[in-house]
Amino acid sequence: MQTRCALVGMPGSGKSTVGRQLARRLGVPFVDMDHRLEQALGTSIRAYFEQHGEAAFRDEESRLLADMAAQPGPMVLSTGGGIVLRPENRTALRQCGHVLYLRASPDDIYKRVRHDQARPLLQVANPLERLRELYAQRDPLYREAAQFVIETGRPTVHTLVNMILMQLEMAPAPAAATAEGTPAPQ
């Protein structure tokens, strides 16, 4: 089975939670890009956003994704919600193996993250309206990047992981990767 994949989706869609469990079930390393970025930046994403702005953060995010895409071997990669905003990132995601879009409605996401102070793009007067705006902008980009769309509204994490495993078992190897899950030579 293909053991190299990346999870994309809105903030709060479950990428880290589902990704951690998926990696455990597959027996492969789990990489949370947000945690890696915070380690590399030496500060929280929110603090980096406040100090340097979104463009500088997106530059750092793109660099890390390119590094992750170039690394051989199996992994489950959990990305940040805005990773799909840049075309080069959507291309790099495909080098990470299968791309799975964990889709949740803005209303469902709001219920999950309404008390989370760590998400810089949601620190606004009306976070639900902001989520709806982000969803309208990003949903087409997630769909463009992903081979699979997994609805995360009602299923448990265990059920979502099982759904993903079934999709991966039935899927052919991604075009950008060889059967071993490493990037194909260019």
Side-chain angles (χ1 to χ4, degrees):
M1 178 193 307
Q2 170 64 284
T3 56
R4 192 172 162 87
C5 60
L7 304 176
V8 299
M10 290 285 292
S13 62
K15 298 178 301 289
S16 295
T17 302
V18 170
R20 194 172 287 109
Q21 292 300 317
L22 178 61
R24 185 174 292 134
R25 290 276 301 276
L26 289 169
V28 302
F30 171 69
V31 178
D32 185 313
M33 281 192 59
D34 285 347
H35 289 149
R36 286 273 174 100
L37 278 166
E38 288 181 341
Q39 289 173 342
L41 299 172
T43 188
S44 71
I45 290 172
R46 182 177 178 180
Y48 193 86
F49 248 76
E50 290 171 358
Q51 187 173 16
H52 301 284
E54 184 174 357
F57 171 76
R58 297 293 175 207
D59 290 343
E60 295 297 331
E61 183 179 55
S62 293
R63 274 193 279 282
L64 177 60
L65 178 61
D67 289 348
M68 298 309 305
Q71 291 182 14
M75 76 171 144
V76 172
L77 179 66
S78 170
T79 65
I83 197 76
V84 296
L85 295 173
R86 293 184 173 179
E88 65 268 24
N89 290 350
R90 296 192 298 276
T91 300
L93 282 166
R94 292 183 200 100
Q95 295 173 340
C96 295
H98 289 295
V99 181
L100 302 114
Y101 170 22
L102 300 187
R103 191 205 153 285
S105 73
D107 291 341
D108 285 343
I109 293 169
Y110 179 71
K111 290 174 192 170
R112 295 177 194 167
V113 302
R114 66 180 175 262
H115 300 297
D116 188 341
Q117 300 298 310
R119 299 176 189 274
L121 291 177
L122 300 180
Q123 304 311 305
V124 295
N126 188 341
L128 179 56
E129 184 58 34
R130 181 67 176 137
L131 280 168
R132 289 178 177 148
E133 292 167 1
L134 290 171
Y135 180 85
Q137 174 193 31
R138 294 177 180 181
D139 179 65
L141 302 174
Y142 294 135
R143 290 178 186 276
E144 177 188 325
Q147 288 87 23
F148 303 104
V149 178
I150 309 293
E151 298 292 334
T152 67
R154 298 212 183 270
T156 64
V157 171
H158 179 76
T159 301
L160 288 169
V161 169
N162 285 339
M163 291 166 55
I164 292 169
L165 288 171
M166 286 192 302
Q167 291 289 338
L168 292 176
E169 285 174 7
M170 295 185 297
T178 64
E180 293 81 40
T182 57
Q186 299 288 322

